[in-house]
Amino acid sequence: MRTRDEDKVSLVKKMAIKSIVKDGFEGFSMNKLAKACGISVATLYIYYKDKDDLIISIAKEEGDAMADSMIKNFDPTVSFEEGMRVQWENRYAYMLEHPFSIAFFEQLRNSTYQSRFLDNFMKKFKQIIGEFMNNVVKNGEINSMPLEVFWSIAYAPLYSLVRFDAEGQSVGGKPFKMTDEILWQTFDLVIKALKN
């Protein structure tokens, strides 16, 4: 039995993400991936049992990397604003450094792979973020609210700004380029909206 060539595995992951982002899951196939990597289809099946195994494996690894990035230097005992600032810094840095991974996650979120991806991803940082949220609610810094409400106010503005920047335009086709001033002005408004 042949052993795994980690350089090939890395290339397969990179090309699979790019292919899925470009062509969607409907246009993605093991044959196309093998051709893009310059390897045989049989080589892919050494590393992954099938297309689903490949996609879930990559989603898990990329999700773990993103979760690790989000909780980097994060202390769940800090104040609400300080903790949120670290979250925004980490999320923004990750999105800038890994645009294909972010686009890949968007594809996952809009597919039948969503639940398998989110279940694993949430495990990675749910505990530390949950501890932070319990602390800030207990300390009276914010009111308790459903997770969906919190996320929509806390992070959706950041994701929208990054998307506008990636597309080079905002609503109505107006040219847009992200700046630190815009980033932190938006952050200040988010904190003001969430605080008591």
Side-chain angles (χ1 to χ4, degrees), residues 63-189:
D64 285 348
M66 184 167 73
D68 288 343
S69 177
M70 285 183 190
I71 58 175
K72 180 182 174 188
N73 301 320
F74 185 78
D75 178 355
T77 65
V78 299
S79 72
F80 176 65
E81 186 169 344
E82 189 178 344
M84 288 298 293
R85 185 171 296 276
V86 171
Q87 280 291 293
W88 271 53
E89 287 169 348
N90 289 348
R91 288 168 189 260
Y92 185 52
Y94 186 85
M95 288 186 275
L96 291 181
E97 292 171 25
H98 304 279
F100 278 104
S101 292
I102 296 300
F104 175 63
F105 295 140
E106 284 302 310
Q107 291 277 356
L108 288 169
R109 289 185 62 86
N110 295 304
S111 75
T112 57
Y113 296 101
Q114 178 184 12
S115 62
R116 288 183 280 177
F117 164 66
L118 288 178
D119 286 347
N120 181 69
F121 174 71
M122 290 305 289
K123 286 177 193 171
K124 190 72 178 180
F125 84 27
K126 192 175 187 179
Q127 182 179 356
I128 195 166
I129 297 300
E131 183 181 340
F132 170 69
M133 293 306 296
N134 286 336
N135 288 338
V136 298
V137 169
K138 185 177 74 179
N139 294 337
E141 294 182 74
I142 66 168
N143 291 325
S144 181
M145 65 189 79
L147 175 64
E148 297 80 7
V149 172
F150 175 78
W151 195 96
S152 295
I153 297 167
Y155 302 117
L158 172 61
Y159 286 81
S160 292
L161 289 173
V162 170
R163 187 176 62 250
F164 291 153
D165 186 60
E167 294 171 355
Q169 61 183 0
S170 66
V171 180
K174 180 181 171 190
F176 180 82
K177 181 70 181 146
M178 178 72 112
T179 64
D180 283 348
E181 181 182 353
I182 290 170
L183 177 71
W184 297 117
Q185 177 185 20
T186 307
F187 174 81
D188 290 342
L189 290 168

Side-chain angles (χ1 to χ4, degrees), residues 29-44:
S29 73
M30 296 294 263
N31 286 336
K32 285 183 186 178
L33 177 60
K35 185 175 181 179
C37 294
I39 60 176
S40 73
V41 175
T43 300
L44 288 176

Side-chain angles (χ1 to χ4, degrees), residues 14-65:
K14 179 181 170 185
M15 296 308 290
I17 290 170
K18 284 187 175 185
S19 177
I20 290 167
V21 167
K22 180 178 177 268
D23 301 325
F25 290 111
E26 300 79 20
F28 177 73
S29 73
M30 296 294 263
N31 286 336
K32 285 183 186 178
L33 177 60
K35 185 175 181 179
C37 294
I39 60 176
S40 73
V41 175
T43 300
L44 288 176
Y45 290 104
I46 292 171
Y47 306 134
Y48 306 100
K49 67 180 182 184
D50 57 25
K51 181 172 121 174
D52 283 345
D53 182 45
L54 179 141
I55 291 168
I56 293 301
S57 175
I58 293 172
K60 180 187 180 314
E61 289 177 33
E62 291 296 308
D64 285 348

